[in-house]
Amino acid sequence: MTTYKIALIPGDGIGKEVIPAGRQVLESLSAADPEISFSFESFPWGGDYYRAHGAMMPADGLEALRGKDAILFGSAGDPDIPDHITLWGLRLKICQGLDQYANVRPTRILPGIDAPLKRCRPEDLNWVIVRENSEGEYSGAGGRVHQGLPMEAATDLSMMTRAGVERIQRYAFGLAQSRPRKHLTVVTKSNAQRHAMVMWDEVAREVAQEFPEVTWDKEMVDAATARMVNHPATLDTIVATNLHADILSDLAAALAGSLGIGPTANINPERATPSMFEPIHGSAFDIMGKGIANPIGTFWTAVMLLEHLGEIEAARRVMAAIERVTANPALHTRDLGGTATTAQVTAAVCAQVASTRSCLTPA
Ligand code: ATP
């Protein structure tokens, strides 16, 4: 039996509701499958921790995470703390500190979901967005001068290194190669941004030589938004910079039906550090504490976590359970037009996880 060490960081807002729900699903998996077990450790970092300690997480927090097999993260954000403090003090600190440079966001229209694009069949929208997660527009380079004076100035510098661009392009081409369509779209803005984005394009051309089986094309980020809406079936794997992919993946999540469904993996492909898995949505203060947050994004995130651990059959089993539940409109939360609660959806997925065993395990 393998016991995986999982760090749980619920964080803020509905993170505190969906991460315990994700834990329940993983526990129902280990209850049904004696080959897998989890040892959870929960870290109470986030806005409340900041109010008590003046920091979103302790200075040696990364060290506590290093020994884990994976991290399940909720969200960071607090109505009383500026967003740049909550983001940089927790999520980005972990992603950058543990060099989780590939942010991977699959998008599909799950069974039973009424997605907003009327001409788009579920089979037309099956994408994985790979977001550069360590530098670019969110490198943190920049500064403010003359603060508070009329001549105040501020810069945010988009920093792209050849090594950073190469490793994310290589990861994206490799991922595209592993998918049936073997197609990659490289999103760029090299018409207007004539330095770093031109290097981005050049590196894509070079890395493409290593992947002769992969067909690829290049799309400006503005045109990419229109293509996602008008010709979704022409896309498969997509790679984009930190900022571009941040925006495109929210659009992708909305086109698939709700921000509450999509998963994210922050991967260190070399496995030198633990990778971190989180739903695509944020803290959603408007619904926190009401018990109506959609936990499906966290459950799909748990599927990505299991895949990363190499537990492919277990991942399939949880995904099958999720799809059976989304197929039933009576189990849709409010964001999907239904009235189900977080607890009801969680109980239904756990029950499906328990009952799918017989289909997957040979007699
Ligand atoms: P943050 O600033 O932390 O990114 P946010 O509230 O600005 O958080 P999101 O949490 O990503 O942004 O979501 C935007 C809106 O989408 C929420 O206000 C909420 O109404 C809805 N939403 C997001 N996630 C969920 C979910 N899991 N279940 C139901 N509704 C959701």
Side-chain angles (χ1 to χ4, degrees), residues 321-332:
I322 291 170
E323 295 192 8
R324 284 195 196 124
V325 168
T326 62
N328 180 357
L331 290 169
H332 286 183

Side-chain angles (χ1 to χ4, degrees), residues 14 75-77 83 259-260 280-287 292-294 335:
I14 61 169
S75 70
D83 286 343
L259 265 182
I280 198 171
H281 63 76
S283 316
F285 302 123
D286 53 327
I287 56 164
I292 56 168
N294 189 344
D335 55 309

